[in-house]
Amino acid sequence: MRPETSGRNRPACAPRLVGVPPADVTLPELALSTSVLDRRGDLRADPGLLPRLLADPATAVLRLVGDRVAVDEGREASTTAVLTAPEDADASRLALYLGEAGGRSYVGVVADDLTDAVADDPSWRTLRQVGADLDDLGASTFATTLALANWHRSHGHCPRCGSRTEPVLAGWIRRCPADGSEHYPRTDMAVIMAVVDADDRILLARGKGFRGNGMSVLAGFVEPGESLAAAVAREVAEEVGVRVTDVTYLGDQPWPFPSSLMLGFTARALGTDLRLQPDEIEAARWFSRDELTAALADGSVVVSGRISISRRIIEHWFGGPLDSPEIPLR
Ligand SMILES: [Zn+2]
């Protein structure tokens, strides 16, 4: 069967958060954030589902090898993920039921046995490389397959008894054959926030391990028992010693590197004195729009690429696109 790409059968509409916060402060069209698959959780309990789909040439398979999938970058100014019919070898690979779109069923297959075969093939790309340009169906299938595969790869044993667990529910949980316990994929919530002072300057920081002159808004993981607003306030206080108020949601983005959900906010600083946490923050400073424009122009500051909510949050404050190269910060 001729390989097809994700540009076909794109569903017409996708869910959107509306009402709160006001639409004019949300970040529109964040990369990786448009869910176009109907996940059909009601079908997952059928143990015959994946064998049946993998025997059906109409099924669309996204093959993940390591952290890469094959993409087609030459179609109509949009990059699409290459989806193919199932092949015989898929029956012995980890398969993940992704759902339906446009009347078609989608399955992610983890094909790490092909690592050598695709090692030098430039059409196999990582989600970080192509995520900003992928169409919605490609981004949805790639992000979901990568996040689930990352979890399966690192959670192969039962946390209760140490036995090797088995994927069930079409790849959405793992079950321990020794004690019957079930284990669910984890998603690690992280808050990422613009901190803006009374003069409408934004705080950017360089974390330990950032490359070159990379700077970003602050971010950190939500801790157990903590609300999102409390996590924003704690992270800002810990990392730069600033108290904040008026924590306002901007948007969110799956970030399967390996398993995060980035929750974007803006917050108002109650002071401007900075006290940096030496283990995490190498540098931090306040920028006016003119100062940031100048720093980006002379290369003394670089921000992360278009795929990232970090850049989108900075652009939301800035009021338009930033002129900064597409290089990863870490
Ligand atoms: Zn167990």
Side-chain angles (χ1 to χ4, degrees):
M1 187 179 189
R2 187 173 61 84
E4 295 184 332
T5 68
S6 56
R8 296 178 55 156
N9 297 321
R10 180 195 290 197
C13 62
R16 235 189 118 224
L17 197 63
V18 294
V20 177
D24 62 347
V25 301
T26 54
L27 299 176
E29 298 181 3
L30 274 170
L32 314 182
S33 296
T34 305
S35 238
V36 295
L37 289 167
D38 179 350
R39 295 186 170 218
R40 293 303 306 268
D42 57 311
L43 300 182
R44 294 174 189 165
D46 173 8
L49 175 67
L50 282 172
R52 201 160 56 242
L53 290 177
L54 291 177
D56 182 350
T59 300
V61 171
L62 180 83
R63 262 179 222 88
L64 178 76
V65 177
D67 61 352
R68 298 191 293 160
V69 306
V71 300
D72 183 344
E73 298 180 83
R75 291 169 82 94
E76 301 162 8
S78 169
T79 299
T80 54
V82 175
L83 299 158
T84 66
E87 58 185 40
D88 290 346
D90 291 335
S92 58
R93 294 168 175 151
L94 174 63
L96 313 164
Y97 175 60
L98 303 178
E100 295 176 351
R104 205 159 175 218
S105 294
Y106 290 81
V107 174
V109 167
V110 182
D112 288 341
D113 54 297
L114 299 179
T115 300
D116 290 343
V118 307
D120 300 320
D121 186 335
S123 67
W124 286 77
R125 307 289 299 275
T126 69
L127 188 57
R128 283 185 192 270
Q129 289 170 333
V130 298
D133 298 312
L134 267 180
D135 70 344
D136 293 341
L137 186 54
S140 284
T141 51
F142 195 168
T144 303
T145 300
L146 179 62
L148 264 181
N150 286 338
W151 172 72
H152 281 284
R153 286 165 173 155
S154 58
H155 291 75
H157 292 84
C158 176
R160 292 189 183 178
C161 74
S163 298
R164 180 82 192 161
T165 52
E166 304 166 338
V168 289
L169 279 194
W172 285 89
I173 71 170
R174 297 186 70 92
R175 181 175 291 149
C176 175
D179 59 28
S181 59
E182 295 181 340
H183 307 282
Y184 289 76
R186 55 184 282 180
T187 297
D188 301 321
M189 285 176 292
V191 289
I192 180 164
M193 48 276 171
V195 178
V196 178
D197 76 1
D199 295 325
D200 206 23
R201 297 181 301 169
I202 194 170
L203 179 66
L204 298 182
R206 175 156 48 251
K208 289 273 183 192
F210 277 28
R211 287 186 198 151
N213 293 329
M215 294 191 92
S216 171
V217 291
L218 298 174
F221 286 107
V222 181
E223 294 189 342
E226 189 174 50
S227 73
L228 297 174
V232 168
R234 175 184 53 75
E235 283 289 344
V236 176
E238 284 178 359
E239 295 191 341
V240 294
V242 170
R243 290 199 307 130
V244 298
T245 186
D246 295 349
V247 176
T248 304
Y249 173 89
L250 292 178
D252 58 83
Q253 177 186 50
W255 195 245
F257 309 108
S259 57
S260 294
L261 176 66
M262 305 300 292
L263 300 148
F265 297 88
T266 184
R268 194 159 56 82
L270 293 172
T272 56
D273 289 345
L274 302 177
R275 191 185 67 248
L276 307 189
Q277 185 177 39
D279 293 343
E280 291 201 27
I281 305 295
E282 279 184 0
R285 60 165 281 204
W286 299 96
F287 288 89
S288 68
R289 288 174 183 77
D290 286 345
E291 288 167 343
L292 183 58
T293 300
L296 293 172
D298 68 19
S300 58
V301 170
V302 174
V303 299
S304 54
R306 285 175 300 123
I307 187 176
S308 71
I309 191 173
S310 166
R311 185 186 185 113
R312 298 295 306 278
I313 288 173
I314 300 169
E315 289 178 338
H316 175 262
W317 162 82
F318 189 75
L322 296 172
D323 188 9
S324 186
E326 290 283 320
I327 55 174
L329 290 192
R330 48 166 109 219

